[in-house]
Structure formats: structure tokens, C-alpha cells
Amino acid sequence: MAYIKSRKHVLPVAVLATGLTLALPAMAGTGSDAGTSPGDDAHQLGRVEVKGQRGIKRDELQSDKFTQPLQDTPQTVQIISSDLFNQQGATNLTEALRNSAGVGTFYAGENGNTSTGDTISMRGFDTSNSIFVDGVRDLGSVSRDVFNIEQVEVIKGPAGTDTGRAAPTGSINMVSKQAQMQDAVSGSVTAGSDGQKRVTTDWKQALGADSALRLNLMWQDSDVPGRDHVNNSRFGLAPSLGFGLKGDTRVWINLLYVKQDNVPDGFVPTIGLPSWTPQTGLGQLAGHPVDPKNFYGTRADHDDSKTAMATLRIKHDFTDKVMLTNTTRWGRTSQNMLLTSFLVTGGTATDPMAGNVKWTNPADLSTYTMARSTPNFKDQDNRIFTDQLNLRADFATGRVKHYLTAGLEFTRETQVALGQAATNGSKWTPANLYDPDWNATGLSWAHNGADGHGKTTTTSAYLFDTLKFGEHFLLTGGVRADRYRTQYAASAVCSATRAPFCGTNPAGTVLPSVDASTSGTLLNWKLGAVWKFGETLSVYANSAVSQQPPGGANFALSAAGNSADNPAMRPQKARTQEIGAKWNTLQQRLSLNAALFRTTVDNEINTQVLDDAGNPTQTGRKRIEGVELSAVGNINEHWQVSAGYTRLKTRVVEGAMTAQDGSPNLTYTPDNAFTAWTSYRFDSGLTIGGGARHSGELHRGTDGAVGTPLYTQAWTVYDAVVSQAVNRNLTLRLNGYNLGNKHYVAAINKSGYRYMPGAARTFLLSADFRF
């Protein structure tokens, strides 16, 4: 395949290749906040006391709903520590999740709606609406920075009992840094190829006998490796004040503000990729893929967002066995975006240039142009207010020990989306297919009144209990009830294609299109059992249910009979069964985990079975079966490792096939994935390390597009790191990514017209400081 390689490289490959050659990849705890864990110093009822610790193995989840260490939790849970993702140079959630096999961005959006932000998929389903910060749902399709994150918790399997409405296959919780009784300053200054620049700092200061301040700052201005013009620029501020941290009543006030001014990526045409078939009139382009660095957007393209969050957290110990926690949060995310997109369509036998691609000389690739589509517009405001009250009590009934947690939650979430559109039929000038220029002209746009207003109010109650029978057997159960109400109102603009809707109203008239509401009660539960063979080996089994009601993913309700967001539809329901084993070996420094699981998702829309009125029914069913293996921790005091492998078998059990190739596979889901990172730190302060990331092929969705790729090829890339401690306060670190400069498809859109190229080879040089 004749790819044109990226021209932007400023550092030699040889330095980092040495680290891989030695086969002792890296992890030395040199991140900007190495050595701390979430928690409240010594206040952890019935749990292992969490103190500052170096290394990448974590045993405790932040949530009070998980009362046991991971060893005794009957579920696949992965904790990605800041020590790990800082050492790897990760800057956002998507990059941190590279450490969890099979979790990532594989879907590039619909034809008219390119994916942006943290578009996360897990075990075959979109998990973007199940991202939480400190146990509170985080709203908005933005990229989340990790400068203020202590650890990322990946909870796989139905999470409805823990969080309420949720994706079928899991959730992600980001644990924020908060004030501690410490005096320290740490941070990183980073520069690299492709114009990457970043500064972070973490200042901790004790105030008097039992109060403290913590301040995290971040600034970044970085181009995206191997992509012209795409840029990520952001600033972040996160202060935290703690009071009474040594007493029975502890109070934290945590604030967050992040401002982003990005140039978004509209991706690259799939012309010439494997399984691409030339459309009518485009046969001469076979064997001539475009340069993956090409940018088909314009100077006007932007993705600007502001995130603000205020959290009040209070913990009170009634006794050493009973604790009450209350968390109150207000949050807001606003996003304004213009993202230019495109479709590559062929012509007809009589008019080869009837599609979106045209030329003046078919033998000269430089004469080919492609029409730019009307941009994706977004002017959206998301807000959330929540109060969560949790009671934790450890007690015994006879010989049975109980670790009980119960709580009440109230949440109000709103979303306002203001419609925008091109005015007076204007459009961008075409782009040169093989050498696009972002200095496009011609398009004008404005708000058009096609707005949407959504609100979901939820009141919840839950109860969890872990019963410990002797030293070997634990039984964990939980139940949660969510009473929800979703309201949605939207308007649409009349046009020739909306004749039945508009009636006699002229084109351009704005009319109400949806005014709907839905309400109900979701009852989710989970039950698991653990048998312990001593302190180091546990085997477990669990079963759980999770549900997603209409409008639960995006606040938008629909009147369409084939939409899962129609208020008449039942909630999507996922059932998971899992068995597994967890082994803490090498003096409990290394955790080895294995799991077999099956998730069945019911109440899916089935267009092949219709009701008496001719509407699709909810008789559809999808199933995911798989195995997951992982290892994390220390082999010895110098050598650390984090690795994971997953193998999935996915299929549509009932309903229309969703893959374009006609297979029963679920789309945009790799059948196997692997991630590994390992390190060795020498007594001299030198650390060398690296790892590999692998993803299997993806099946794209079906929608009638002709000639576009049916699948994407599997890929493997290699990363590495070399760092040297200059003294006890300063460490120099060099990270390299995709050392082989492999060109691969990281994600593909529904019709296969465009794809997201994987990041090209790049290098980052960082100075990590600590005082």
C-alpha cells in the first residue's frame, strides 16, 4: 500500500529502540503525582489502610459501594494508577485507557456526525454516557484531561446497580485529586515532536493542624502527531481545600475549571484501504490512498469547550465501624463546535463525475477535488446537580460479618442544544483530494432555531452488603431502584424534505417537532460469591442486571417507531454472568486475574419482526461472550508490569445483522485486543521500558454505502520510555510512541467513507520535578 509517511520527526528513534531491545520496559513512578492513592488518609472503615505508595498496583476503589479490596470483589475491575499513565505520558482519558485491553475509540461517527471527545467503547457497546468523576456522571462529548486524576477505575460488566442507568457492559470512574496533610510540589514540563507542549504542577500544602490546600494546574498546546492542523490547546485549574482532616468530621471543597480551544479532526477518506472497492467512476484511484496526514477541514473548524465543577464532600465517623458520607456537586460543560466533514461518492456509468469527487485530468491525481459537506455544528450546554448520601456500617450477626452500605441519591441533568445551519444555501469550496488546503471560503452559518431541550430527574435508593462467612467465603449482593423522569422538546426547520411535517408552512419556518416525556422505575441488582484459598487466591462467580431507558444516553426522545429513544419503548436490559479467579502472588506485589463472561442485551429494536401496526418490535437480542486476562504489579522491587488480553465473540442473536459484511458480529468491536507495559528501574536511577498495543480487525456498520471498506485490519504498535533520575528532585524522561511508524486505522465511520488514522511516530521529552 503506497502510503506517504509523515514528515514531522525531530528526535531519533535509536534512543528509545534501545529500551525495547533490552526487553525491560518502563515504570519508575516518575509522574507528576507518583506515590499517592485516593482516600482519606487513615479513615477507611474495615478496609486496608491506604497510605501514599509507589508503584502501579492499586487494591481499593474510591466508591463506598465497593467495601472489599479487588481481591475479594466478584467482578472484573481494573484500576489504572496515575503512576502508570503519567510514566507513559498520557494526557487524557482515552490515552490512559490504552492500559485496558479492548477499551478505546473504534467508531468515527455517522455520515453527518463525526465523533469527538471521549468516544469510548467497552465489550462491544458505547460507554461514552457511562463516564463518572468521583462517582458522579460526567456530561458532554469532550476530551477529559487527567492532570487532576489520581486513578482511573474501569468497572466491567453491568454497572446499573452501582450508578443507575448505564451502558450494558460497564462504566469508567475518574478519581480526582484532593487535599491531603502533606507539603510537596511536583509536576512535569514536556515538549516533543509535532509541536507538543505541556506543563502540569501539583502543589500540596498543610494548613495548620488539620487543614490542607491542594492546587493542580495544567497548560497544553499540542499538534496531533501525523495530522496537519489538528490541535489540542487547553488550560486547567483544580483547587481543593480540606478541613478537619485528622478528625471525625472531614470536609473537602473541590473545584475544577478546564477551557479547551481545539482544532477538531474530521478524519481521512478511506480511498485505497484494504477491502475498499472503487465506486463508479473512481476505479483509477485504486492503489492511490491519500496521505493520512491530510486535513480536509477549514480554518473555521473549532471545538471550544468549558468545563466547571464544584464539589462539597463531607465524611463523618460515628464510630470506627459506622461512617456517613455526603457528596454534593454542581457541574456544567458548554461546547461550541464546527467540524467540516465529507463523503466520497462515485458517479454513474454515463456521468462518472456525478458524485462528490471530480477531476480535470483522470490521469493526474493533483486535479482531483472532493466536495466538503455541510459541517457538524454543536452549541450545547450540559448541567448537572446531584446530592449523594451514603451510610457505611460494619457489624456482625453471630459468626457472620457484614460490610453494609446504603444510600440515597438525587440528580438533575439538563441539556440545551442550539441548532445551527448554513445560510442561503452556502457551502465550502471543494478540497483537493490529495493536497487539501484549509483556506476554504464560501460558507456562512447562523443559529436557526432548531433547538433541543432535555432534562432527566432521578431519585435513587440502594443497598449493598457483603457477608463474610469465616475466612474463606464471601457473598456480595446489591439492589438499586431509580425513579426517573425524562422530558424533551425540540424544534425543526421546514424544508422540501419535511413536507408532511410542515404542511402548508413555507420553507424556513421553525415548528415544534418533539414534545415528549417518559418516566419509570429501574430496578437493578447484582449478586456475587467469592471463595478464598488463603489470602492470595480467590475464585468468584457473579450475575448482574443493568438497564438503559429511552433517552438515557443523550436526553433526546424520539417519535420514530424504530428508535430506542421512543418513550413507548421498554428500557434496554443487559444481563451478565461471570466467573473468574484472582491471584495475588510474589508476596502480593503482583495481581493475576482471569475471567470468563457472557452479556446478553435484550429489548433491542428488531426491524425484522413487526407489530400489528407495522412498527419494529423490541424482540432484538445481542450477545457478547469472552475471556479477559490481566496482570499488574511488581515482579520485584525494580521490575513492574501491566498487561491485559481480551478475546470476544459477539453476535446478533435476534434481529437484523448490523455488519456490512453480512456476518452476525457486532460492529466496531475488535475480536481480540492486547496491551502490555513493563519497566525496570536500576539502582543508578535509570529506568527503561516500553510495551505493545494490539487491536483486532473491526467490522463496520451497514447502511447501504457502496464500495467502502467492509472491515479494518488488525494492528500492533510499540511504545517505549527511557528516564534518568538526575537527583532526588528531578527526572528526565523520553517517551516514544508507535516506534515503527505504522499506519493503521484506529476508527472508521458508519458508512466507511472516512477513518481516523492512528497516531504517527512521535517523541516527548519531559522534566519531572518533585520537592
Side-chain angles (χ1 to χ4, degrees):
M1 186 177 298
Y3 282 111
I4 302 172
K5 294 188 176 181
S6 171
R7 300 188 296 263
K8 298 188 284 188
H9 304 301
V10 299
L11 295 175
V13 181
V15 176
L16 289 178
T18 302
L20 285 178
T21 303
L22 294 174
L24 294 172
M27 199 59 266
T30 58
S32 63
D33 190 48
T36 59
S37 293
D40 318 310
D41 300 323
H43 298 276
Q44 297 281 333
L45 276 70
R47 301 169 70 170
V48 177
E49 184 176 326
V50 177
K51 298 180 179 179
Q53 56 181 336
R54 299 184 70 87
I56 59 176
K57 182 173 178 284
R58 297 288 185 267
D59 296 316
E60 303 290 332
L61 290 161
Q62 178 211 42
S63 174
D64 292 318
K65 299 165 189 171
F66 291 87
T67 62
Q68 303 302 305
L70 295 189
Q71 175 76 17
D72 298 334
T73 299
Q75 190 172 353
T76 297
V77 178
Q78 181 181 4
I79 299 177
I80 305 169
S81 69
S82 59
D83 295 279
L84 177 57
F85 62 70
N86 283 334
Q87 176 70 25
Q88 295 170 336
T91 63
N92 57 50
L93 176 61
T94 299
E95 292 174 351
L97 289 172
R98 292 172 179 171
N99 294 287
S100 186
V103 179
T105 299
F106 309 115
Y107 180 50
E110 303 279 351
N111 291 335
N113 186 16
T114 300
S115 298
T116 61
D118 295 318
T119 309
I120 307 300
S121 177
M122 183 192 306
R123 289 186 177 179
F125 284 86
D126 182 15
T127 317
S128 304
N129 69 310
S130 296
I131 298 175
F132 297 80
V133 176
D134 305 321
V136 177
R137 192 180 307 274
D138 197 45
L139 305 178
S141 55
V142 298
S143 177
R144 296 164 176 84
D145 200 285
V146 294
F147 80 101
N148 190 46
I149 298 302
E150 204 79 77
Q151 64 186 33
V152 177
E153 302 170 347
V154 184
I155 302 168
K156 299 186 178 181
T161 314
D162 309 314
T163 63
R165 72 179 196 275
T169 51
S171 65
I172 297 163
N173 185 45
M174 305 173 69
V175 180
S176 301
K177 299 174 182 178
Q178 62 181 16
Q180 302 172 348
M181 293 299 295
Q182 287 183 284
D183 293 339
V185 178
S186 61
S188 293
V189 179
T190 300
S193 53
D194 298 283
Q196 298 183 85
K197 301 176 289 292
R198 180 178 170 91
V199 178
T200 62
T201 186
D202 183 356
W203 174 40
K204 307 173 190 175
Q205 181 65 54
L207 304 174
D210 62 356
S211 299
L213 168 69
R214 188 170 188 176
L215 178 63
N216 276 269
L217 298 170
M218 174 274 301
W219 172 86
Q220 179 172 326
D221 183 2
S222 298
D223 294 337
V224 173
R227 300 290 293 123
D228 285 346
H229 305 308
V230 182
N231 177 271
N232 294 315
S233 295
R234 52 184 177 257
F235 166 78
L237 169 71
S240 173
L241 276 170
F243 304 97
L245 299 185
K246 293 185 178 180
D248 291 336
T249 302
R250 302 171 299 286
V251 179
W252 289 269
I253 301 174
N254 303 324
L255 304 176
L256 174 70
Y257 176 79
V258 177
K259 183 178 186 294
Q260 303 190 57
D261 298 293
N262 303 325
V263 178
D265 197 343
F267 308 140
V268 177
T270 55
I271 293 171
L273 292 184
S275 81
W276 178 80
T277 302
Q279 298 164 332
T280 302
L282 302 182
Q284 65 274 27
L285 299 183
H288 298 287
V290 303
D291 190 332
K293 73 176 180 61
N294 285 354
F295 180 73
Y296 294 89
T298 72
R299 282 187 177 273
D301 284 34
H302 62 272
D303 186 1
D304 302 334
S305 67
K306 294 179 182 179
T307 299
M309 189 182 298
T311 306
L312 174 64
R313 190 179 184 206
I314 303 172
K315 286 200 170 190
H316 177 73
D317 297 337
F318 292 100
T319 70
D320 62 348
K321 300 294 185 182
V322 180
M323 179 175 69
L324 186 69
T325 303
N326 193 87
T327 300
T328 303
R329 173 172 295 168
W330 172 89
R332 178 182 182 183
T333 298
S334 59
Q335 184 180 15
N336 188 288
M337 184 186 74
L338 183 157
L339 193 160
T340 301
S341 188
F342 56 85
L343 301 176
V344 181
T345 58
T348 65
T350 58
D351 184 2
M353 289 194 290
N356 290 339
V357 178
K358 304 185 187 304
W359 57 90
T360 57
N361 181 355
D364 184 356
L365 296 181
S366 67
T367 69
Y368 282 74
T369 62
M370 176 180 63
R372 292 180 167 105
S373 303
T374 300
N376 303 325
F377 294 103
K378 181 179 289 186
D379 187 355
Q380 184 170 291
D381 183 271
N382 288 90
R383 303 190 189 199
I384 185 170
F385 174 80
T386 187
D387 190 81
Q388 301 179 346
L389 180 66
N390 178 274
L391 177 67
R392 167 75 189 276
D394 298 349
F395 60 94
T397 55
R399 296 183 179 181
V400 180
K401 296 180 180 179
H402 295 261
Y403 303 89
L404 182 143
T405 179
L408 299 172
E409 297 179 2
F410 170 81
T411 303
R412 184 178 67 244
E413 304 159 82
T414 63
Q415 181 182 95
V416 176
L418 303 181
Q420 299 180 80
T423 57
N424 301 318
S426 63
K427 57 184 178 181
W428 289 125
T429 51
N432 187 286
L433 185 59
Y434 286 91
D435 188 18
D437 182 356
W438 73 334
N439 292 297
T441 59
L443 183 77
S444 59
W445 64 93
H447 288 95
N448 62 357
D451 304 336
H453 299 260
K455 180 172 72 172
T456 297
T457 303
T458 309
T459 303
S460 311
Y462 60 83
L463 177 68
F464 296 84
D465 193 11
T466 295
L467 291 75
K468 188 174 183 180
F469 301 85
E471 297 301 319
H472 299 287
F473 182 63
L474 293 89
L475 185 66
T476 297
V479 62
R480 179 186 180 105
D482 293 279
R483 181 64 184 174
Y484 69 90
R485 177 174 173 79
T486 296
Q487 300 165 277
Y488 182 70
S491 300
V493 179
C494 288
S495 65
T497 59
R498 293 178 174 267
F501 163 73
C502 297
T504 60
N505 291 284
T509 304
V510 178
L511 296 176
S513 58
V514 179
D515 187 0
S517 65
T518 184
S519 61
T521 300
L522 301 179
L523 187 64
N524 295 314
W525 58 267
K526 65 179 181 179
L527 182 65
V530 177
W531 181 266
K532 296 172 60 69
F533 295 90
E535 291 297 319
T536 61
L537 177 62
S538 300
V539 295
Y540 69 89
N542 79 7
S543 182
V545 168
S546 182
Q547 298 182 77
Q548 181 81 281
N554 56 12
F555 304 97
L557 297 174
S558 172
N562 61 350
S563 172
D565 291 322
N566 188 310
M569 297 297 182
R570 299 186 302 276
Q572 177 196 63
K573 179 177 287 188
R575 297 178 175 85
T576 291
Q577 294 80 41
E578 179 174 312
I579 59 174
K582 302 182 180 183
W583 183 26
N584 277 333
T585 186
L586 300 180
Q587 299 179 338
Q588 301 195 33
R589 295 191 304 261
L590 180 68
S591 178
L592 304 176
N593 307 284
L596 295 171
F597 58 88
R598 169 188 281 185
T599 297
T600 302
V601 182
D602 289 313
N603 293 342
E604 291 282 288
I605 301 298
N606 186 350
T607 58
Q608 294 185 328
V609 178
L610 307 180
D611 61 19
D612 294 339
N615 295 315
T617 60
Q618 287 189 270
T619 57
R621 171 175 290 182
K622 296 175 181 176
R623 179 166 291 158
I624 309 98
E625 298 172 318
V627 59
E628 189 154 340
L629 308 173
S630 66
V632 62
N634 283 55
I635 294 176
N636 57 41
E637 62 178 327
H638 297 285
W639 190 359
Q640 297 179 325
V641 62
S642 172
Y645 171 78
T646 183
R647 176 79 179 179
L648 298 178
K649 180 181 179 181
T650 66
R651 63 191 177 101
V652 177
V653 180
E654 297 288 344
M657 299 298 102
T658 60
Q660 181 67 24
D661 59 9
S663 69
N665 302 79
L666 298 187
T667 55
Y668 316 107
T669 302
D671 54 1
N672 66 85
F674 173 77
T675 181
W677 182 265
T678 183
S679 73
Y680 195 90
R681 180 182 174 91
F682 296 91
D683 291 334
S684 64
L686 172 68
T687 296
I688 57 175
R693 292 176 281 126
H694 171 82
S695 177
E697 68 177 25
L698 305 176
H699 301 262
R700 80 160 181 85
T702 177
D703 65 353
V706 177
T708 55
L710 304 179
Y711 62 89
T712 68
Q713 291 185 321
W715 53 267
T716 305
V717 296
Y718 301 93
D719 309 320
V721 69
V722 175
S723 68
Q724 175 64 57
V726 178
N727 53 45
R728 64 192 301 266
N729 303 119
L730 178 64
T731 296
L732 299 180
R733 171 168 49 89
L734 182 64
N735 289 90
Y737 309 93
N738 190 4
L739 296 181
N741 200 29
K742 183 178 182 61
H743 298 287
Y744 63 96
V745 177
I748 190 169
N749 90 309
K750 184 175 182 180
S751 290
Y753 290 121
R754 56 187 181 270
Y755 76 98
M756 180 173 69
R761 179 170 55 212
T762 189
F763 300 91
L764 295 176
L765 179 61
S766 302
D768 300 324
F769 58 88
R770 176 180 298 277
F771 299 97

